[in-house]
Amino acid sequence: MGAAHSGLNELIDTVALLRAPGGCPWDADQTHESLVQYLVEESWELIDAIESGSREEMIEELGDVLYQVLFHADLAANTDGERFDIDDVARHMTAKMVSRHPHVFGDREAETAADVVAFWDELKADEKPHRTSVLDGIPRGMPALALAQKVLGKAEKVGVTDASVHVAPATEEELGRHLLGLVASARSQGLDAERALRAAVRALEDEVRSAEESRAG
């Protein structure tokens, strides 16, 4: 890295110093697993800053997320059986981005964002041949609403749609009030909206897998 990234180099060195012998005992005790809760929290705080924060808040929260990435990389660099560092992470990501953008680094052409998404679907299928379902790779820890949107998008790819679709409010503001009202109504009846939506998503996933099995047969 050149002088233009001196701040990043300084942060990398700071992480290493804190985790080294004679540094911070708490930092030295952490594992990839123990850090997961902090990565989740920092990611949500960054989302808050993006949606309603100031420039200063975004800088701070981006830094907190970056610190988690650097922490994991330094931990791996000093763990037998892992032994990779932040440069390995960066090089892998660069190679991935070059591969995922043949319309920029190769000879393919893309006129629209939809064309690019089509490339990505093809490339992901080639990169991960072990994935046999469109549902493979979806993080199960996603909040129910984000998970529902993700699964619905995947379901459409195999021709499975929700027959109970209702007309949505015209704007995101109206949709937000509608969703909040549904949650409030569920709460007043002692129902768990998060759990209920996850159950509905699981049922949709069963439909998707059945459709995939029918196609394969």
Side-chain angles (χ1 to χ4, degrees):
M1 299 179 190
H5 302 294
S6 59
L8 181 56
N9 282 324
E10 184 178 9
L11 181 56
I12 292 171
D13 292 342
T14 299
V15 175
L17 179 63
L18 289 171
R19 294 201 64 259
C24 175
W26 185 92
D27 288 55
D29 282 348
Q30 300 313 301
T31 66
H32 292 302
E33 291 77 14
S34 71
L35 291 171
V36 167
Q37 61 177 316
Y38 304 108
L39 177 59
V40 172
E41 290 170 8
E42 301 297 2
S43 296
W44 283 114
E45 288 179 10
L46 173 57
I47 291 170
D48 283 342
I50 290 171
E51 292 179 345
S52 59
S54 65
R55 173 183 179 277
E56 288 71 24
E57 288 173 315
M58 276 195 64
I59 290 174
E60 178 179 355
E61 300 306 338
L62 281 167
D64 286 342
V65 172
L66 174 60
Y67 192 84
Q68 291 299 309
V69 174
L70 297 179
F71 202 126
H72 280 281
D74 188 83
L75 200 163
N78 294 282
T79 301
D80 290 337
E82 296 182 5
R83 297 298 180 184
F84 64 82
D85 60 17
I86 192 62
D87 280 337
D88 294 312
V89 174
R91 291 190 188 99
H92 185 277
M93 196 63 199
T94 298
K96 182 177 179 179
M97 288 299 99
V98 170
S99 173
R100 292 279 175 89
H101 293 79
H103 51 296
V104 177
F105 300 101
D107 56 5
R108 297 194 68 169
E109 295 184 2
E111 295 183 358
T112 68
D115 293 336
V116 176
V117 172
F119 291 165
W120 289 344
D121 287 342
E122 293 173 17
L123 291 165
K124 287 177 184 177
D126 291 339
E127 292 171 2
K128 303 181 185 296
H130 59 284
R131 292 185 176 177
T132 58
S133 170
V134 295
L135 301 175
D136 291 344
I138 297 177
R140 310 315 306 170
M142 295 174 70
L145 193 56
L147 180 62
Q149 292 196 154
K150 190 77 171 179
V151 172
L152 284 167
K154 297 294 186 179
E156 288 179 356
K157 293 181 183 297
V158 294
V160 175
T161 56
D162 190 344
S164 63
V165 169
H166 300 282
V167 177
T171 67
E172 287 192 357
E173 182 180 0
E174 292 175 5
L175 176 60
R177 290 199 299 268
H178 181 68
L179 290 171
L180 186 60
L182 284 175
V183 174
S185 177
R187 184 172 180 275
S188 69
Q189 298 177 67
L191 302 175
D192 187 318
E194 176 85 5
R195 186 168 61 235
L197 184 53
R198 282 189 176 279
V201 169
R202 284 196 297 274
L204 177 58
E205 288 176 322
D206 289 341
E207 290 185 48
V208 170
R209 295 189 189 281
S210 294
E212 290 176 327
E213 290 172 3
S214 297
R215 288 188 174 189

